Amino acid sequence: MNPIREYRLKRKLTQEELAEMVGVDRSNVAKWETGVHKPRADMLVLLAKVLQCSVDELLREGAG
């Protein structure tokens, strides 16, 4: 499972809720979770804070 999706689900957040918390469209979150796009470095820091994990955890491949 994609690490962003994994941590989002652990926090019981929808894609829309996460998008609002980090200031992007829901479609951006969907693209990150499917691997179509990767978040920018500055966005990774914010995502890690919101999802209560480390940037390293968000960058790991084959999470799950």
Side-chain angles (χ1 to χ4, degrees):
M1 180 182 305
N2 174 282
I4 295 173
R5 182 171 192 266
E6 178 183 344
Y7 285 104
R8 176 179 62 79
L9 294 175
K10 282 183 182 178
R11 297 264 297 130
K12 296 181 172 50
L13 296 170
T14 64
Q15 286 183 344
E16 184 69 33
E17 289 168 333
L18 178 58
E20 288 176 18
M21 294 172 85
V22 298
V24 299
D25 290 333
R26 186 209 54 81
S27 63
N28 286 55
V29 174
K31 288 174 185 176
W32 298 335
E33 290 185 358
T34 58
V36 172
H37 292 290
K38 299 281 187 194
R40 296 183 327 253
D42 60 329
M43 186 58 65
L44 279 170
V45 173
L46 181 56
L47 281 167
K49 183 177 181 179
V50 168
L51 297 173
Q52 300 177 347
C53 63
S54 71
V55 171
D56 286 345
E57 290 171 310
L58 292 180
L59 292 174
R60 68 189 158 111
E61 296 294 322

